[in-house]
Amino acid sequence: MRTGWADGPEFVTQCPIRPGSSYTYRFTIQGQEGTLWWHAHSSWLRATVYGSLLILPPAGSSYPFPNPHRNVPLLLGEWWDGNPVDVLREAIRTGAAPNISDAYTINGQPGDLYKCSSQDTTIVPINVGETILLRVINAALNQPLFFTVANHKFTVVGADASYLKPFTTNAIVLGPGQTTDVLITGDQPPNHYYMAARAYQSAQNAPFGNTTTTAILQYKSAPCCGGAKPIMPLLPAYNDTNTATRFSQSFRSLKRAEVPTELDENLFITIGLGLNNCPKNFRSRRCQGPNGTRFTASMNNVSFALPSNYSLLQAHHHAIPGVFTTDFPARPPVKFDYTGSNISRSLYQPVRGTKLYKLKYGSRVQIVLQDTGIVTPENHPIHLHGYDFYIVAEGFGNFNPKKDTAKFNLENPPLRNTVGVPVNGWAVIRFVADNPGVWIMHCHLDAHISWGLAMAFLVENGNGLLETMEEPPADLPIHLVYF
């Protein structure tokens, strides 16, 4: 709160940290318990630069569920055999989709289903009768993932550093950026059981990594020898949207939620991909998207362009002109059948711009996030920096305020920082804009943010010191760095 200088996305709150230099992120954790994570937010460096951030209950208090015997962070990731920054650079040069990753990982290890990786498979030990808290984090760059453990059930108790009303499930699904806390009990015959993750792929005809990463849940009293493979779980099909939907719609906050009921701002934001026609001065090798185009993406038909000299927060704080405008549209410029199959090709080419949306301090905000069928519909994990928000509803098709508002859960919706907007569907979030600064909202599929699937809110200061953004720290990186 009030320390947007510690947020980190390049050219939004700071310039990148120069090679050989350092920057200390200073912030206070307020009102959050559970699992978060930290990661690089520059180019595709977060492919390997990430880690868990576990917020335990305060001293003298406990979890709202029986104390687990221990905590086990599990970070799901992606691995390229090449330099991920080069993968992105090549995609931007050619206008094509970036190469898919070569493997998925659990705590940095692909697991023994991949070639040449069996010696370093992650092992999670457990005793019979023991309950452990798995803190699962999807740190993958471009892929929502299913995760399950053979012959064991999960009790879901938290997500994105907020407690949930517990429910049981055989599998969980996480978009990039999301975390989920689950309890698992050693209630099976002592043996070795695979923990496995693989893609949830909602975009039709889009290439994706169809491999499976594994770790091993190993009972300490299990036989040690014999060479038998661990027991393999049954994973959902890659395109199993029904399982993903059942899971997300099971989320309820543990207590009655403080959801804004009166609204000051009501935004409707379409999200989706796009295809720019090849510029006349480009050779064909720079237009390798479908039919000689270049991939792009947008929110409300604006493809977000990051500045290249100052960060947005610097420009706002120091009143530097010409870096951004505050005319991001609260509605799409054209109303159309968002999830229909006959979308006008004129909507495929968004306007490029650095447009922010201004919010008064304390304003009560609702955002309808509407997926579109431009190029292809897809489940988009949308992450808002600087805030947690309530997911009050989600559904399929075009959002209809006359009918769908009646479905809103204003009693106990989940509090999260990343929402998976359903493929060919919509999600509605609410929050109070009580954290001044500049906060980016973007798709957490990194290929999409590279194409411009983002926007940013400029939240003005309120009254007095406690409603005003702090001054920038002395070591804030302010110089341009090229990757």
Side-chain angles (χ1 to χ4, degrees), residues 277-319:
N277 291 335
C278 190
K280 292 180 180 178
N281 61 332
F282 277 29
R283 296 185 178 180
S284 59
R285 63 172 178 255
R286 296 199 61 192
C287 299
Q288 295 183 25
N291 301 314
T293 59
R294 292 177 58 85
F295 271 109
T296 184
S298 66
M299 291 186 171
N300 277 356
N301 209 45
V302 178
S303 185
F304 193 66
L306 290 171
S308 58
N309 45 6
Y310 301 99
S311 74
L312 297 171
L313 189 59
Q314 286 174 288
H316 163 57
H317 187 72
H318 298 294

Side-chain angles (χ1 to χ4, degrees), residues 362-378:
S363 56
R364 298 157 295 186
V365 184
Q366 173 175 289
I367 306 174
V368 178
L369 295 161
Q370 174 72 61
D371 186 33
T372 69
I374 299 176
V375 182
T376 181
E378 187 169 2

Side-chain angles (χ1 to χ4, degrees), residues 301-366:
N301 209 45
V302 178
S303 185
F304 193 66
L306 290 171
S308 58
N309 45 6
Y310 301 99
S311 74
L312 297 171
L313 189 59
Q314 286 174 288
H316 163 57
H317 187 72
H318 298 294
I320 301 168
V323 178
F324 62 83
T325 59
T326 55
D327 57 345
F328 181 85
R331 297 281 183 275
V334 178
K335 188 175 182 179
F336 61 100
D337 182 3
Y338 307 112
T339 55
S341 57
N342 294 315
I343 296 175
S344 169
R345 298 290 294 192
S346 65
L347 296 167
Y348 275 52
Q349 296 194 70
V351 176
R352 189 164 168 81
T354 309
K355 298 175 183 287
L356 278 55
Y357 191 89
K358 191 179 290 188
L359 294 171
K360 289 187 178 300
Y361 183 93
S363 56
R364 298 157 295 186
V365 184
Q366 173 175 289

Side-chain angles (χ1 to χ4, degrees), residues 127-288:
N127 283 317
V128 173
E130 191 174 55
T131 297
I132 58 180
L133 178 60
L134 300 179
R135 298 175 176 269
V136 189
I137 300 164
N138 187 354
L141 245 70
N142 293 314
Q143 194 63 60
L145 295 167
F146 290 113
F147 175 77
T148 189
V149 179
N151 295 6
H152 291 73
K153 287 186 178 295
F154 296 135
T155 300
V156 179
V157 293
D160 294 354
S162 184
Y163 292 122
L164 296 168
K165 186 177 181 180
F167 66 94
T168 58
T169 182
N170 293 320
I172 64 175
V173 60
L174 306 93
Q178 291 185 320
T179 76
T180 305
D181 293 346
V182 298
L183 297 171
I184 186 171
T185 299
D187 57 5
Q188 295 299 305
N191 210 325
H192 299 74
Y193 298 87
Y194 271 133
M195 319 172 90
R198 76 175 184 186
Y200 164 47
Q201 178 65 5
S202 61
Q204 291 186 353
N205 303 318
F208 69 99
N210 61 359
T211 58
T212 302
T213 179
T214 54
I216 298 172
L217 183 70
Q218 181 172 302
Y219 281 72
K220 294 178 182 177
S221 56
C224 69
C225 308
K229 279 275 190 183
I231 298 168
M232 189 70 190
L234 181 65
L235 280 150
Y238 297 116
N239 62 349
D240 191 347
T241 292
N242 287 337
T243 291
T245 302
R246 275 196 307 272
F247 178 67
S248 66
Q249 293 186 349
S250 298
F251 280 44
R252 298 289 184 273
S253 62
L254 189 59
K255 302 175 182 176
R256 183 179 174 87
E258 298 178 5
V259 188
T261 52
E262 302 293 324
L263 298 174
D264 302 300
E265 300 276 359
N266 190 357
L267 287 78
F268 186 95
I269 297 180
T270 54
I271 55 179
L273 305 185
L275 298 172
N276 282 332
N277 291 335
C278 190
K280 292 180 180 178
N281 61 332
F282 277 29
R283 296 185 178 180
S284 59
R285 63 172 178 255
R286 296 199 61 192
C287 299
Q288 295 183 25

Side-chain angles (χ1 to χ4, degrees), residues 109-123 194 214 216 229:
Q109 302 297 343
D112 58 15
L113 300 187
Y114 291 94
K115 187 178 179 181
C116 305
S117 64
S118 61
Q119 293 183 4
D120 297 315
T121 297
T122 298
I123 294 175
Y194 271 133
T214 54
I216 298 172
K229 279 275 190 183

